[in-house]
């Protein structure tokens, strides 16, 4: 059994249970489940339903409509929250329902769904039954609690929430597919029944409400209809909900992209909404004109720079806070156009940090100038110069008569090839490309124009040509703390094939793209692209079998944008800190924390008697420092070692580990 | 220390000049053959004299010396002479550290050698010799299998020394390593250089031994001083500066036949269990962390 086969419910049940999946419409079984639902406690009831039920189609189900809807406001289901726990624990973000800029948060989805079905009814009816459909025998106990809690809440909330809840449920096709179901059903990605009972989740909410409070929720999970509704209310861009969503990825936002552009363009001339340069950048993201981590980040920062330039502070507000709020609103807009990349997220964090650090005594114009120079410095140091350093390291690994392979189009890799060519090295390049974007073609054109001899192939043939390749150069959107590389979908495949052939894989990534998150699979955090892009085969209309895919309920298209490459397949990371093994990423991530607290730490060291140890945590919103006394908590002291980068001195040779010897 | 002597004798009046002089001296050291160097160096400088494979450790040591000595940023504010004497102090301290390193490593490795164990060593390494010496003097009972270490036949030298210590030694030809790996409990090797990935560059044959040991689940321990940590990152065997050593086959090699004369190979980190260094007992992935912290 793989990792995902051990969902939280297992712990409750205490053992491995065989799970049966029933794929397909389960309408026949629906009525049978009705009576079962209330009898929450009996595991045997679930035996009667032994096939694990996937969310049934949206057919009207009577019963605690209010109950299910009333639970909307409460926290997302236990199952999903487990995963969330895992994810958010690892996150530093202490984010909440508010749209505070968590770059990782995908935008709220759209409107009252384009789709026909009467979701409201469905939801109502599915209230209890959906819970009964819960595939896990182990959920039985939980269901008992849920039922009682739901009953309690039902009366209270019914009247008030029914109208809004219904609307929201109707609007979001996002069903709260429990993550447990998702995890156990991971093999069957393309689910038959699209958006289903959000009600399914409702049952599991109550027990988790408390748990949710403890976990800082950093990312918006689209399975959670309530949050989706809230977020949607604040959105600038109106999105139409996509149809036929893949179940496994229900927690990610998916849009019907085509409809937005004209709408947004018409709004362009309303200046009060948004600064024009930010608007422009958003549109460029939406249409795909700007893509690639560095390009998007630079475009965004330059737009912000202009926005700051034109910013004039209202009299009664404080510059820091007002400007931060403004930047946050810009960021939410950008998120709606296209989910943020990790590089963008890190740079936003940097910018907000700089804004909060502005001394209050500065005048408005001085502050603006300082911020603009900070932005310029960031772009220069972290991107432009970093790229140069990476290129200089990487060309040392290119020898004459090398055959270098690359996938897609990474800006750094292109620079490396250019520079190596200028240095006169003799090598040839194999460009591997994939649908739907064919990014490799742009790279190919540019390389050929420079006179580098190239071979072009699609990713299906990568194992065919790998035997003649000597080095693989890949770009990355980010590198996570456990050394996994988060990059364009298809990269993992190329890396694995290279590893199987014993070809070294060199991943080139600037250090500002590193992230402290840890991700084990490509599912929990990803970006869904436009499914129409897959269905369309350009230039060949005879191959348009998928033209009407949306109408077919049995068909779901999945266009994932990113995937992760485990660190075992990466031979070396080339960053502006030099050439590192993937295991060294956490050191860089820690090392790049703000150095401000360094002074504080050293200062505290010399306090007599009760020495206070300052622990500084990186969070999504700048640094938050807590004070704790050394005497009280050794654990915090240990924490200190990891959150603070001790200043270099003659002792630094002995590393952070030795800090314990103070 | 040659480089410390450079500082002492330098007539530079600013830090920058001094740094430049130091750099020039260390570059010269790296380029010259070790034989020339060892004549001029103080005997305390820990350089293996028998082959040029140590040039990596030499260059790594020089780099580290430079960093260690010039790292003190608060020197800027002091008068230059005071700064210079500080530097000399640090330079000599570095030399002491290097000497003590071997003793620290020997101490740390004692826990790994238990009574009745069989240790496989490869070629002649003074660090490993120190380790075994200490173990013998601690009255541990163990025996050593020593590879011949062609083409230098350093293995014979090693076994000589071990026998002198009263340790039971058995010499193997290099090809007999897999054959004898069953009876081996652990493998101890030295290193010429420890690279950023955590792998080691050592005498030719080390990679082979590590591969065999790994496939038979025997631990491979590398005993290396921390000044051998180098900022290199070989991707494969050929990705290093070549170091050749003529091989004497006893009979003249027929014309038209090429001979592979490389003197060292690279062992990737996945085949190494632990690195025993004066910084402590480390896993291979830590090497890069240390290097980053030093050079950041």
């Amino acid at each position: 059994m793989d990792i995902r086969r051990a969902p939280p419910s297992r712990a409750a049940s205490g053992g491995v249970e065989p799970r049966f999946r029933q794929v397909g419409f389960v309408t026949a079984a629906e009525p049978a489940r009705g009576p079962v639902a209330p009898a929450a406690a009996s595991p045997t009831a679930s035996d009667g339903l032994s096939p694990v039920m996937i969310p049934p189609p949206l057919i009207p189900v009577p019963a605690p409509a209010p109950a299910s809807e009333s639970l909307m406001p409460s926290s997302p289901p236990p199952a999903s929250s487990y995963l969330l726990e895992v994810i958010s624990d690892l996150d530093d973000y202490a984010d909440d329902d508010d749209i505070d800029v968590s770059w990782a948060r995908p935008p709220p989805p759209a409107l009252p769904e384009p789709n026909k079905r009467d979701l409201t009814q469905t939801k109502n009816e599915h209230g209890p039954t959906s819970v009964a459909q819960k595939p896990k025998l182990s959920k039985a106990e939980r269901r008992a609690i849920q039922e009682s809690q739901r009953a309690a809440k039902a009366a209270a909330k019914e009247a008030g929430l029914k109208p809004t809840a219904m609307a929201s449920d109707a609007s979001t096709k996002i069903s709260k597919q429990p993550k447990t179901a998702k995890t156990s059903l991971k093999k069957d990605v393309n689910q038959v029944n699209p958006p289903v009972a959000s009600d399914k989740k409702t049952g599991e909410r109550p027990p988790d409400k408390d748990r949710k409070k403890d976990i800082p929720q950093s990312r918006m999970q689209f399975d959670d209809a309530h949050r989706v509704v809230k977020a949607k209310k604040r959105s600038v861009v109106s999105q139409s909900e996509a149809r036929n969503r893949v179940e496994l990825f229900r927690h990610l936002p998916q849009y019907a992209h085509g409809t937005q552009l004209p709408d947004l363009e018409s709004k362009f001339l309303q200046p009060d909404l948004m600064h024009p340069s930010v608007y422009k950048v958003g549109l460029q993201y939406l249409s795909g004109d700007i893509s690639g981590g560095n390009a998007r980040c630079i475009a965004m920062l330059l737009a912000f720079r202009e926005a700051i330039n034109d910013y004039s502070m209202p009299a009664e507000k404080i510059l820091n806070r007002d400007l931060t709020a403004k930047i946050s609103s810009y960021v939410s807009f950008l998120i709606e156009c296209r989910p943020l990349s990790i590089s963008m997220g890190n740079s936003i964090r940097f910018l907000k940090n700089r804004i909060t650090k502005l001394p209050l005594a500065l005048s408005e114009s001085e502050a603006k100038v300082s911020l603009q120079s900070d932005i310029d410095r960031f772009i220069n140091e972290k991107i432009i110069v970093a790229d140069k350093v990476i290129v200089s390291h990487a060309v040392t690994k290119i020898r004459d008569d090398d055959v270098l392979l690359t996938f897609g189009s990474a800006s750094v890799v292109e620079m490396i090839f250019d520079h190596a060519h200028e240095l006169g090295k003799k090598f040839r390049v194999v460009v591997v490309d994939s649908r739907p974007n064919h990014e490799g073609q742009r790279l190919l054109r540019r390389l050929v124009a420079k006179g580098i001899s190239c071979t072009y192939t699609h990713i299906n043939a990568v194992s065919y040509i790998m035997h003649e390749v000597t080095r693989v150069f890949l770009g990355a959107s980010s590198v996570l703390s456990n050394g996994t590389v988060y990059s364009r979908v298809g990269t993992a495949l190329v890396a694995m094939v290279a590893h199987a052939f014993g070809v070294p894989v060199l991943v080139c990534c600037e250090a500002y793209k590193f992230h402290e998150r840890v991700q084990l699979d490509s599912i929990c955090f990803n970006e869904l692209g436009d499914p129409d892009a897959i269905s369309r085969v350009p230039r060949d209309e005879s191959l348009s079998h998928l033209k009407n895919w949306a109408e077919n309920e049995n068909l779901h298209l999945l266009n994932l944008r990113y995937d992760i490459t485990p660190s075992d397949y990466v031979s070396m990371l080339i960053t502006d800190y030099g050439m590192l093994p993937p295991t060294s990423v956490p050191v860089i991530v820690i090392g790049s924390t703000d150095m401000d607290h360094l002074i504080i730490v050293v200062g505290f060291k010399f306090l007599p008697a009760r020495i206070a140890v300052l622990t500084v945590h990186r969070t999504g919103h700048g640094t938050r420092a807590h004070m704790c006394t050394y005497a009280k908590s050794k654990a915090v002291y240990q924490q200190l070692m990891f959150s603070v980068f001790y200043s270099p001195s003659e002792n630094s040779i002995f590393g952070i580990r030795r800090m314990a010897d103070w | 220390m040659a480089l410390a002597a450079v500082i002492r004798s330098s007539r530079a009046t600013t830090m920058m000049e001094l740094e430049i002089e130091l750099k020039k001296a260390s570059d010269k050291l790296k380029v010259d053959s070790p034989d020339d160097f060892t004549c001029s160096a103080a005997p305390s400088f820990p350089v293996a004299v028998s082959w040029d494979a140590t040039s990596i450790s030499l260059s790594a040591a020089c780099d580290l010396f430079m960093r260690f000595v010039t790292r003190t940023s608060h020197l800027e504010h002091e008068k230059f002479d005071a700064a210079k004497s500080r530097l000399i102090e640090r330079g000599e301290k570095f030399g002491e550290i290097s000497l003590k390193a071997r003793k620290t490593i020997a101490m740390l490795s004692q826990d790994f050698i238990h009574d009745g164990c069989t240790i496989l060593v490869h070629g002649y390494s003074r660090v490993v010799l120190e380790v075994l010496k200490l173990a013998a003097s601690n009255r541990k009972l163990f025996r050593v299998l020593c590879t011949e270490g062609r083409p230098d036949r350093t293995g014979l030298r090693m076994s000589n020394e071990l026998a002198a210590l009263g340790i039971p030694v058995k010499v193997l030809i290099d090809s007999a390593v897999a054959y004898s790996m069953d009876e081996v409990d652990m493998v101890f090797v030295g290193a010429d250089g420890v690279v950023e990935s955590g792998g080691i560059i050592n005498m030719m044959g080390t990679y082979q031994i590590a591969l065999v040991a790994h496939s038979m689940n025997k631990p491979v321990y590398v005993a290396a001083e921390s000044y051998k940590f180098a900022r290199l990152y070989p991707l494969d065997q050929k990705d290093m500066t070549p170091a050749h050593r003529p091989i004497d086959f006893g009979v003249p090699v027929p014309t038209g036949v090429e001979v592979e004369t490389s003197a060292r190979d690279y062992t990737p980190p996945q085949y190494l269990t632990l690195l025993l260094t004066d910084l402590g007992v480390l896993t291979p992935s830590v090497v890069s962390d240390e290097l980053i912290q030093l050079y950041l």
Side-chain angles (χ1 to χ4, degrees), chain A residues 479-484 515-519 582-586 589:
Chain A
V479 181
L480 309 176
S481 278
N482 57 345
T484 48
H515 198 258
E516 67 264 8
R517 196 174 83 212
V518 171
Q519 201 172 324
T583 49
S584 294
V585 173
V589 170

Side-chain angles (χ1 to χ4, degrees), chain B residues 73-79:
Chain B
S73 51
H74 51 269
L75 284 182
E76 288 165 12
H77 304 293
E78 300 179 5
K79 288 177 57 176

Side-chain angles (χ1 to χ4, degrees), chain B residues 8 16 35 51 100 131 147 174 177-178 244 248 271-272 292:
Chain B
R8 223 177 273 121
M16 284 302 299
D35 297 322
W51 61 83
K100 277 207 223 115
V131 168
T147 57
D174 298 331
V177 166
H244 293 285
D248 174 25
Y271 303 114
L272 306 174
I292 290 174

Side-chain angles (χ1 to χ4, degrees), chain A residues 69 119-121 123-124 161-171:
Chain A
E69 282 151 352
L119 264 179
T120 42
Q121 287 213 312
K123 272 220 14 232
N124 304 349
L161 278 167
K162 196 161 181 175
T164 42
M166 285 187 43
S168 67
D169 291 338
S171 67

Side-chain angles (χ1 to χ4, degrees), chain A residues 29 35 47 62 99 117 211 240 255 269 289 326 395 425 427 468 475 631:
Chain A
D47 281 344
I99 283 195
R117 299 168 186 246
R211 207 175 318 149
S240 56
Y255 307 102
L269 296 173
D289 282 342
K326 238 193 156 62
V395 291
K425 303 211 179 199
F427 60 93
E468 47 185 57

